[in-house]
Amino acid sequence: QQQVKQSPQSLIVQKGGISIINCAYENTAFDYFPWYQQFPGKGPALLIAIRPDVSEKKEGRFTISFNKSAKQFSLHIMDSQPGDSATYFCAASRGNNQAGTALIFGKGTTLSVSS
Amino acid sequence: NAGVTQTPKFRVLKTGQSMTLLCAQDMNHEYMYWYRQDPGMGLRLIHYSVGEGTTAKGEVPDGYNVSRLKKQNFLLGLESAAPSQTSVYFCATRQNYGYTFGSGTRLTVV
């Protein structure tokens, strides 16, 4: 049972365009939804994260939209740049104070921004 | 301040050989995790630890063992490597909601 489903698997966007990656989750106990960016040969790095008490969070060109009732969240990259070309993972976890809390990842989206 | 350090960075093993991957952290975080990353599969949790002397199984624990004898170190062992364990292995630590990942170990089993 895949707890976090991510789409699309790959995405090609023109420079200056908007990149949109979607994720859906099943466990309503999840209360932390981060997005990670990974470049080849590197570990995942936190890009932006949201808690379910807000519907949107923006940091620079990156925005998370969160729909609690639909159990979906998405990453929007505005004015996409070639340097944004990377693999993006959504993730979810529950209960900061619960022992054993671990991030559950989506399968990833490979973004290519063409110049 | 190195954060999370994984050694080795690369390794090639023959089927049936054993090895240990080391994860060391200098942030005094209680929680530590081992993930494996395979193409098209995302990162899957192998084992985790909620503190010194504790370990627990994650989503894909078979064929792996772990130990956390010291708070700063989390070891992942392969007793008898199999080609299916060819992967990139990532260690992570957590404090509150913040996770910090190492740069990974690329393991090939031939």
Side-chain angles (χ1 to χ4, degrees), chain B residues 29-85:
Chain B
H29 289 175
E30 290 291 339
Y31 295 175
M32 297 187 74
Y33 307 84
W34 276 108
Y35 287 88
R36 61 177 288 174
Q37 183 177 17
D38 303 291
M41 297 296 292
L43 284 84
R44 293 180 292 168
L45 182 66
I46 305 171
H47 285 280
Y48 63 93
S49 168
V50 300
E52 181 178 314
T54 75
T55 63
K57 294 180 180 180
E59 179 187 356
V60 288
D62 293 343
Y64 305 95
N65 56 76
V66 287
S67 64
R68 183 117 180 253
L69 299 180
K70 294 182 178 181
K71 185 177 183 179
Q72 64 268 33
N73 295 335
F74 195 26
L75 279 65
L76 178 70
L78 287 74
E79 291 187 349
S80 179
S84 62
Q85 295 177 303

Side-chain angles (χ1 to χ4, degrees), chain A residues 2 17 39 84 88 92 100-101 104 111:
Chain A
Q2 188 180 354
F39 292 105
D84 297 330
Y88 293 82
T101 297
I104 298 174
L111 171 65

Side-chain angles (χ1 to χ4, degrees), chain A residues 1 4 8 18 25 32-33 39 45 47 51 56 63 67 70 75 82 88-90 96-97 101 103 106 108:
Chain A
Q1 184 183 17
V4 179
I18 302 174
Y25 64 96
Y32 176 66
F33 302 90
F39 292 105
L47 188 62
R51 300 286 307 280
E56 185 175 282
T63 300
N67 185 329
L75 175 69
Y88 293 82
F89 294 96
C90 62
N96 179 39
N97 60 349
T101 297
L103 282 173

Side-chain angles (χ1 to χ4, degrees), chain B residues 91-107:
Chain B
C91 174
T93 68
R94 177 173 78 85
Q95 175 139 326
N96 297 321
Y97 283 101
Y99 290 76
T100 302
F101 283 83
S103 58
T105 295
R106 183 174 294 276
L107 175 66

Side-chain angles (χ1 to χ4, degrees), chain A residues 4-73:
Chain A
V4 179
K5 294 183 179 180
Q6 183 172 346
S7 63
Q9 186 175 355
S10 63
L11 182 61
I12 299 174
V13 174
Q14 294 271 8
K15 179 182 176 181
I18 302 174
S19 303
I20 301 174
I21 306 171
N22 301 299
C23 278
Y25 64 96
E26 298 174 1
N27 190 340
T28 55
F30 289 148
D31 67 349
Y32 176 66
F33 302 90
W35 285 90
Y36 282 82
Q37 181 188 56
Q38 185 181 34
F39 292 105
K42 303 293 185 182
L46 179 65
L47 188 62
I48 187 172
I50 197 168
R51 300 286 307 280
D53 51 343
V54 296
S55 61
E56 185 175 282
K57 183 174 181 181
K58 184 176 181 180
E59 291 184 359
R61 296 184 294 109
F62 302 93
T63 300
I64 297 180
S65 296
F66 184 80
N67 185 329
K68 188 174 182 178
S69 61
K71 294 188 287 185
Q72 295 175 349
F73 59 109

